[in-house]
Amino acid sequence: MTTTATPLDVVALREDFPILARTVREGKKLVYLDSGATSQRPTQVLDAERRFLETSNAAVHRGAHQLAEEATDAYESARARIAEFVGASLDELVFTKNATEGINLVAYAMGNAATSGPEAQRFLLGPGDEILITEMEHHANLVPWQQLCLRTGATLRWIDVTAEGRLDLSNLDELVTPRTKVVAFTHQSNVLGTINPVAELVAAARKVGALTVLDACQSVPHSKVDFRALGVDFAAFSGHKMLAPSGIGVLYGRRELLEALPPFLTGGSMIEMVHMDRSTFAPPPQRFEAGVPMTSQAIGLGAAVDYLTAVGMDRVAAHEHLLTEAALAGLGEIPGVRIIGPRSTVDRGGAVSFGVEGVHAHDAGQVLDSLGIAVRVGHHCAWPLHRKLGVQASIRASFYLYNDLDEVAALLDGVREAQRFFGVGPVPGQG
Amino acid sequence: MQLQQMYQEIILDHYKNPHGRGLRDPYDAESHQVNPTCGDEVTLRVKLDGETVQDVSYDGQGCSISQASTSVLTDLVIGRSVGEAFKKFDAFVELMQSRGQLEPDEDVLEDGIAFAGVSKYPARVKCALLGWMAFKDAVARSEGAKA
């Protein structure tokens, strides 16, 4: 974390996001604190998509006409820029629908190892093998592994979460054993904001030859992430959480692994040769991109990466750090508010989840909504984590580069208003 | 203000002082319903005496809307015939799906009319119907068990 980066000019930057200027619920200024669910898109991204569709739209990687050529060039150019943004090379970057699909791709492709060639046998799982995840995973990095265990007979194990919302690595030696074949974990928790020690987990996995799969959905949009430097084997993220359209995501895989990995979805454009009774497959990344892919969306993600690069990821991270610090401090001062996750900003990103004593998260969210403040309420697709921390549902505010300190202040006022409305606030004069 | 329209005093009263709460014996069937988007849940038991709903008891965790609507449900159906109870069920479901466009009948829904404002918020309709769906399911189960 560099705190010496030039501060963002949020006022100027917000001009790029027309939606942020609208009002909601009877003229309230929109305070959008739900970027952890999906981010807003700047005009630069929308324009890039529109420009592509108005000038060069065609099905990529098929056809020899000029539009097909331009479309393919635009699509592959986006791939190159996105790859550079995350420290990967061109052929290590597979376009998917979103991170969920990316993780499922790995899980299903591994499940196909049993019926694939000798090069795929390194992915074979069976009874006695183990997949290690963590208790803080989003359902997208949990359910696919449960299902893979069901299909293969492998056993699912997990790293516990401490009361503070960090991984309990005290028994990592017992959890990562020669039986461990996959270690899948989130880079940054979508609920707690916790940034996990990737290096330590990768080192433990490597020692036993296990593959690592990183859910980078909440890290890539918010800080400089270099997959090669992190040393993970696979990683997935979604475009819509980083200023890009929905329907586009990325799976990163180390080259030698993608080369050996069997396909997941099969069909057009992922083949090498097709006969009536058998087929062979294209090299990666095409092997994992069956059918005509999302094209304007990929171009939109390329434009989003250009936008974020121009702003500077160190400045984005420093800005969110500032907002998170203010939110943690402010919420910490409100009696009856329980922050779920680390109270300090050390190894912590800009998702701040909390509960308000005596007010259900849904009801608090409704009060905030009536004030124009958009937050997420519920379990945020991390039900086991909520259960573990003894919380049924929580309120999550998540920040991005276009948020400012006034919006943090609005959130704090909104929380006090929810307490007042439901009659659970501190009694005036006594608290 | 919109918020007061949604959170009528009646709703807040039922939330703070719920009627019929707590699981009771004897019962014919039990239903457990969850709202997967927020994790709210209700467990609801039904005791029928012939064609009469003799008792409805429940326990649950959830927002004011889901808890209050279940409380109102018990007021409306206990002591009624199954047929009458389902008339109220249909009326309540229709009200909740009306997006604020329906004038509810107080004779049928009594305190339930307070939820008219909730129907304007599609994300909360599921909350209001949680206990009601559990009731429908539990009655179907108890009738199935007797058949």
Side-chain angles (χ1 to χ4, degrees):
Chain A
M1 170 69 50
T2 155
T3 46
T4 53
T6 341
L8 293 185
D9 182 353
V10 178
V11 175
L13 196 140
R14 284 174 73 95
E15 296 284 314
D16 294 335
F17 296 82
I19 199 170
L20 298 178
R22 71 162 283 184
T23 57
V24 291
R25 302 288 184 214
E26 297 178 343
K28 301 289 186 324
K29 178 182 173 290
L30 171 67
V31 176
Y32 188 75
L33 302 180
D34 198 18
S35 296
T38 201
S39 63
Q40 300 301 345
R41 287 74 151 153
T43 41
Q44 288 85 339
V45 167
L46 305 176
D47 288 347
E49 269 199 281
R50 188 177 183 98
R51 200 180 316 117
F52 169 78
L53 291 169
E54 286 181 344
T55 61
S56 308
N57 183 47
V60 301
H61 286 302
R62 59 208 4 101
H65 53 79
Q66 185 177 339
L67 290 190
E69 199 177 287
E70 287 178 15
T72 304
D73 283 350
Y75 180 72
E76 290 303 327
S77 154
R79 191 196 307 272
R81 278 138 53 217
I82 298 159
E84 196 190 335
F85 185 69
V86 292
S89 61
L90 201 59
D91 50 1
E92 294 178 315
L93 200 112
V94 177
F95 283 130
T96 61
K97 181 171 77 181
N98 49 30
T100 298
E101 187 182 78
I103 294 166
N104 273 279
L105 191 162
V106 177
Y108 274 94
M110 289 185 74
N112 290 339
T115 50
S116 300
E119 74 286 351
Q121 297 315 299
R122 63 192 298 177
F123 301 111
L124 194 65
L125 287 173
D129 291 331
E130 292 176 0
I131 295 173
L132 182 66
I133 60 170
T134 86
E135 226 173 6
M136 68 167 73
E137 296 310 310
H138 186 284
H139 296 164
N141 200 27
L142 194 172
V143 184
W145 303 116
Q146 287 177 345
Q147 294 298 108
L148 181 61
C149 285
L150 279 176
R151 291 194 297 275
T152 59
T155 302
L156 189 69
R157 302 189 72 186
W158 52 88
I159 300 169
D160 285 346
V161 169
T162 65
E164 200 217 348
R166 303 272 183 195
L167 290 181
D168 177 4
L169 298 177
S170 59
N171 59 341
L172 193 61
D173 287 353
E174 296 157 39
L175 288 170
V176 182
T177 73
R179 291 187 300 278
T180 313
K181 301 300 175 201
V182 177
V183 180
F185 58 99
T186 187
H187 195 177
Q188 182 172 319
S189 164
N190 71 313
V191 176
L192 309 163
T194 307
I195 297 172
N196 285 321
V198 180
E200 190 175 350
L201 289 160
V202 166
R206 274 191 184 160
K207 222 186 288 176
V208 297
L211 294 167
T212 46
V213 181
L214 187 72
D215 174 357
C217 254
Q218 299 288 341
S219 58
V220 167
H222 302 286
S223 56
K224 181 71 197 142
V225 174
D226 183 322
F227 291 140
R228 200 169 296 148
L230 288 174
V232 292
D233 293 315
F234 294 100
F237 59 95
S238 294
H240 71 94
K241 293 192 199 289
M242 53 188 290
L243 315 183
S246 53
I248 186 75
V250 164
L251 172 70
Y252 159 83
R254 282 201 298 114
R255 182 184 291 119
E256 56 138 352
L257 291 170
L258 285 184
E259 276 169 0
L261 192 70
F264 161 40
L265 298 173
T266 54
S269 47
M270 54 74 67
I271 52 93
E272 179 187 55
M273 288 261 278
V274 176
H275 303 274
M276 281 314 292
D277 59 344
R278 68 191 183 283
S279 301
T280 55
F281 307 120
Q286 272 72 37
R287 187 188 303 162
F288 305 103
E289 294 179 5
V292 176
M294 328 52 133
T295 318
S296 61
Q297 295 91 329
I299 279 136
L301 178 52
V305 160
D306 294 343
Y307 186 94
L308 288 168
T309 305
V311 172
M313 289 311 288
D314 54 341
R315 294 171 77 210
V316 172
H319 178 69
E320 289 179 28
H321 190 87
L322 200 77
L323 301 180
T324 308
E325 212 159 45
L328 288 171
L331 287 168
E333 283 172 10
I334 303 177
V337 169
R338 174 191 171 191
I339 292 166
I340 298 152
R343 300 286 295 264
S344 88
T345 50
V346 178
D347 290 330
R348 192 194 200 292
V352 179
S353 296
F354 58 96
V356 181
E357 205 184 322
V359 185
H360 188 276
H362 246 168
D363 294 324
Q366 200 76 48
V367 175
L368 293 172
D369 173 58
S370 76
L371 300 168
I373 305 165
V375 293
R376 176 82 182 262
V377 294
H379 49 58
H380 326 311
C381 298
W383 210 335
L385 173 65
H386 276 75
R387 208 175 283 127
K388 168 64 177 254
L389 297 176
V391 187
Q392 194 211 359
S394 65
I395 304 149
R396 180 187 69 186
S398 51
F399 306 112
Y400 212 178
L401 72 172
Y402 39 63
N403 293 122
D404 61 22
L405 287 169
D406 289 346
E407 293 180 310
V408 175
L411 170 72
L412 302 176
D413 288 344
V415 170
R416 287 188 202 98
E417 174 59 20
Q419 289 183 318
R420 193 199 60 74
F421 187 82
F422 285 96
V424 299
V427 182
Q430 290 184 15
Chain B
M1 186 195 176
Q2 287 193 340
L3 210 56
Q4 271 86 10
Q5 269 177 33
M6 175 169 187
Y7 292 107
Q8 302 268 327
E9 273 310 312
I10 296 175
I11 295 179
L12 295 176
D13 282 351
H14 275 274
Y15 177 47
K16 285 170 187 161
N17 305 295
H19 304 178
R21 196 180 167 87
L23 291 170
R24 287 183 290 277
D25 288 313
Y27 66 98
D28 298 322
E30 183 177 285
S31 175
H32 180 238
Q33 299 286 318
V34 295
N35 182 347
T37 58
C38 59
D40 282 6
E41 52 190 314
V42 65
T43 303
L44 183 141
R45 290 174 176 177
V46 166
K47 171 69 188 151
L48 299 181
D49 178 11
E51 266 303 296
T52 305
V53 179
Q54 193 186 322
D55 192 25
V56 174
S57 65
Y58 67 97
D59 198 5
Q61 274 198 316
C63 63
S64 58
I65 302 297
S66 69
Q67 300 306 300
S69 81
T70 311
S71 170
V72 168
L73 164 87
T74 64
D75 285 351
L76 288 178
V77 302
I78 293 174
R80 311 255 174 197
S81 73
V82 172
E84 283 172 325
F86 273 103
K87 270 188 197 135
K88 294 187 185 291
F89 176 91
D90 291 339
F92 191 72
V93 171
E94 191 191 7
L95 174 65
M96 294 323 298
Q97 290 171 345
S98 71
R99 305 233 23 186
Q101 299 301 309
L102 200 77
E103 195 56 53
D105 184 346
E106 190 168 3
D107 290 342
V108 178
L109 287 178
E110 300 171 29
D111 279 2
I113 62 166
F115 291 83
V118 179
S119 74
K120 290 181 194 157
Y121 296 84
R124 303 304 299 276
V125 169
K126 234 178 172 169
C127 309
L129 291 178
L130 193 68
W132 290 72
M133 291 304 163
F135 173 70
K136 184 187 181 189
D137 183 48
V139 172
R141 282 165 191 262
S142 55
E143 287 179 335
K146 283 174 182 170

